[in-house]
């Protein structure tokens, strides 16, 4: 069985940066906190927790110590709490630069009175955090079909950093017909775009696709959706040993891609597990 691995599979710049900063902080400061998991990969988060990281669900539980802001960023209220308590709480920011860019652009659209359309999952922490900076004043949708039929004068279109570029294009086409002025910001992470393109092309060449990464990871789920649309035998797994439950009968060529929160070591372990199946 031939095994192909996507070139861009694994940690993106933002996640690699977040993990590096977190590990340095834990080494220097010891016990540190994050509001929610620092990245969407349970295994990586567990490894960091073993080094002293503590994941909490309410920023107000922290009265003093070190807080590591995760790659998805935090809400405006949470940021204000940390600033207000900066004498007792040290803040280490690992927010992905693409998320910060999206936040700044949202505030520009709000200030210039655009009707904001946000392509993304309203339940995702990145989206919740971003929308808090514009007081939730946006129409959030996951499918262009959800865009209302109303006509608008000034429309601003922006996206969650891990969305599909095709959905952003379709949304822009639809909004163009409903607005006098349309301002579009492509805030999809460049690595996400490259990774999705690679996954699509690889899916056409193999008998099976395996997508490795957290089940709660937005970008990993998008990869699985893209692969599944082309290659029916697509499996989204969170741990390398989950392949034991997969039927490889008739598979001569298998492709592997992985989400932005999946470390290289996990990908290598998956490859080794696949090789063992052939012994």
């Amino acid at each position: 069985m031939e095994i192909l691995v996507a070139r861009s599979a694994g940690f993106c710049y933002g996640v690699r940066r977040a993990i590096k900063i977190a590990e340095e902080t834990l080494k220097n400061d010891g016990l540190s906190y994050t509001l929610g998991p620092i990245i969407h990969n349970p295994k990586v988060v567990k490894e960091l927790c073993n080094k002293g990281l503590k994941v909490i669900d309410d920023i107000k539980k922290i009265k003093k110590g070190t807080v590591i802001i995760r790659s998805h960023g935090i809400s405006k209220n949470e940021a204000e709490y940390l600033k207000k308590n900066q004498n007792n709480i040290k803040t280490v920011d690992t927010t992905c630069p693409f998320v910060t860019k999206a936040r700044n652009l949202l505030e520009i659209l709000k200030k210039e009175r655009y009707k904001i359309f946000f392509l993304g999952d309203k339940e995702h922490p990145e989206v919740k955090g971003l929308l808090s900076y514009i007081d939730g004043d946006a129409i959030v949708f996951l499918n262009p079909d959800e865009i209302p039929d109303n006509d608008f004068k000034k429309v601003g279109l922006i996206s969650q950093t891990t969305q599909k570029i095709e959905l952003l294009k379709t949304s822009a086409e639809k909004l163009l017909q409903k607005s006098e002025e349309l301002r579009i910001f492509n805030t999809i992470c460049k690595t996400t775009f490259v990774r999705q393109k690679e996954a699509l092309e690889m899916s056409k060449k193999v008998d099976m696709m395996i997508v490795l990464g957290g089940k709660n990871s937005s970008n990993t789920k998008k990869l699985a959706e893209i692969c599944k649309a082309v290659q029916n035998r697509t499996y989204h797994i969170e741990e390398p040993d989950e392949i034991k439950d997969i039927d490889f009968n008739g598979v001569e060529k298998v492709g592997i891609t992985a989400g932005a929160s999946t470390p290289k070591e996990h990908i290598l372990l998956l490859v080794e597990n696949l090789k063992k199946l052939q012994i």
Side-chain angles (χ1 to χ4, degrees):
M1 183 170 64
E2 185 179 355
I3 303 170
L4 304 179
V5 180
R7 182 178 298 179
S8 66
F11 276 177
C12 65
Y13 163 75
V15 169
R16 190 180 298 110
R17 171 178 169 271
I19 297 301
K20 181 180 179 181
I21 293 174
E23 289 180 336
E24 289 175 351
T25 302
L26 291 168
K27 184 178 179 181
N28 296 328
D29 296 9
L31 173 65
S32 300
Y33 303 90
T34 59
L35 184 64
I38 189 167
I39 61 172
H40 279 158
N41 187 300
K43 192 168 184 178
V44 174
V45 173
K46 185 177 180 180
E47 291 168 0
L48 289 172
C49 288
N50 290 336
K51 296 178 182 179
L53 185 69
K54 187 172 182 180
V55 181
I56 59 170
D57 57 8
D58 184 356
I59 198 76
K60 293 183 179 179
K61 290 181 179 179
I62 305 173
K63 303 303 179 183
K64 68 177 183 176
T66 299
V67 173
I68 302 172
I69 298 176
R70 59 183 176 171
S71 56
H72 295 114
I74 56 176
S75 72
K76 184 178 180 179
N77 287 340
E78 290 160 348
E80 289 174 348
Y81 176 84
L82 292 176
K83 185 177 181 179
K84 182 180 178 181
N85 293 278
Q86 59 186 326
N87 290 334
N88 297 315
I89 301 175
K90 175 183 175 181
T91 300
V92 179
D93 194 355
T94 75
T95 304
C96 174
F98 281 97
V99 175
T100 302
K101 175 186 175 183
R103 184 184 72 204
N104 293 336
L105 293 174
L106 275 172
E107 291 180 318
I108 289 172
L109 290 174
K110 171 80 171 179
K111 183 179 180 180
E112 297 184 3
R113 299 180 181 277
Y114 282 83
K115 184 63 178 180
I116 301 172
F117 283 78
F118 193 106
L119 173 61
D121 179 359
K122 63 182 179 181
E123 298 302 323
H124 192 279
E126 175 192 318
V127 177
K128 286 182 176 180
L130 287 173
L131 292 177
S132 70
Y133 287 86
I134 57 169
D135 301 317
D137 188 14
I139 294 176
V140 186
F141 64 100
L142 266 175
N143 190 306
D145 292 338
E146 299 172 14
I147 294 174
D149 291 330
N150 311 56
D151 289 331
F152 303 91
K153 187 174 183 179
K154 294 173 61 177
V155 169
L157 174 61
I158 203 164
S159 170
Q160 185 178 349
T161 59
T162 53
Q163 281 296 319
K164 301 177 188 175
I165 190 67
E166 290 77 14
L167 286 178
L168 183 61
K169 290 178 180 178
T170 304
S171 301
E173 290 174 0
K174 189 167 184 178
L175 285 169
L176 186 61
Q177 302 173 43
K178 299 179 176 299
S179 58
E180 294 181 24
E181 177 186 343
L182 176 60
R183 194 171 186 184
I184 307 166
F185 289 119
N186 180 7
T187 49
I188 297 175
C189 168
K190 292 179 181 177
T191 304
T192 295
F193 173 72
V194 171
R195 197 187 308 267
Q196 290 178 355
K197 186 177 180 181
E198 285 182 354
L200 177 63
E201 293 305 313
M202 183 176 284
S203 298
K204 299 174 183 177
K205 302 173 183 177
V206 298
D207 305 306
M208 178 186 289
M209 280 296 297
I210 297 178
V211 182
L212 178 64
K215 293 291 177 67
N216 60 342
S217 164
S218 174
N219 75 88
T220 308
K221 287 191 287 187
K222 293 293 182 301
L223 285 175
E225 291 171 5
I226 289 169
C227 294
K228 186 74 173 179
V230 177
Q231 174 50 256
N232 189 52
R233 296 181 76 176
T234 293
Y235 297 89
H236 177 182
I237 64 174
E238 197 164 83
E239 301 285 349
D241 62 1
E242 289 179 40
I243 62 167
K244 66 181 184 297
D245 300 319
I246 298 175
D247 179 10
F248 287 88
N249 185 43
V251 177
E252 296 181 1
K253 189 180 292 186
V254 60
I256 296 173
T257 188
S261 299
T262 306
K264 186 177 181 180
E265 309 87 78
H266 294 186
I267 299 171
L268 294 175
L269 181 56
L270 173 58
V271 172
E272 287 303 309
N273 288 351
L274 285 170
K275 288 179 178 178
K276 289 176 183 177
L277 292 176
Q278 305 176 70
I279 299 175

